[in-house]
Amino acid sequence: MKIYTKTGDKGTTALFGGTRVPKHHIRIDSYGTVDELNSHLGLIRDQDIDEHYQELLITVQDKLFIVGAILATDPEKAVLKSGKERLNIEKISSADIELLEQEMDTMNEALPPMTHFVLPGGHQTVSFCHIARCVCRRAERLASALNELEPFEPNALTYLNRLSDYLFVLARKLSYDLQANEIKWIPEKK
């Protein structure tokens, strides 16, 4: 398989289903940002962190490929007029979302209560987590804008929302595990 096809040389790309759109289309920006997020998760996974988190991040990366496929699909090509699915695209399930919620609940049990916002940083691994959280929020914003124009599988958007929450809690848990200094943001009183 050739990596370069030359089909995008004039600024268009194909969606799943064959429809061509400009490379700056919100759909492309949405799944491109999910791809960027997936790369950041690989960076976190490559750090010296607990094997449980590494394994869960592999699961999340797999789910992000599903989210990407959902976002990369032309909605008109995905469903026939009869309502039957035309393309075989896996879905994000409620169980996928619940897994993130359960993981957050488990991590939160080991953490001190959060009384203030925290400044990102304290350890390189923690910073990678905060960067991924921000990219996840951007992916969610773009996907939300796309969903207003061309609705898609609702659980995909919910998954991105829950994942950004998970990455915040993971950053706090890694700070705790790595004994990194978690700096609280306390606004100056004037």
Side-chain angles (χ1 to χ4, degrees), residues 30 34 37 64 67 71 92 97 100 133 135-144 152 155-167:
S30 296
V34 169
L37 171 60
L64 286 179
V67 171
L71 296 174
I92 295 295
I97 296 162
L100 294 176
R133 172 185 56 80
V135 173
C136 189
R137 285 286 188 211
R138 180 165 28 100
E140 180 187 7
R141 289 190 302 271
L142 289 166
S144 175
F152 55 82
N155 277 348
L157 193 55
T158 303
Y159 191 79
L160 289 173
N161 180 270
R162 209 65 82 250
L163 179 56
S164 61
D165 295 336
Y166 169 80
L167 290 169

Side-chain angles (χ1 to χ4, degrees), residues 172-189:
R172 288 200 69 223
K173 183 65 167 77
L174 291 174
S175 287
Y176 181 83
D177 292 350
L178 296 164
Q179 299 178 353
N181 188 18
E182 188 175 73
I183 299 172
K184 294 177 173 120
W185 177 66
I186 301 171
E188 291 182 28
K189 294 182 181 178

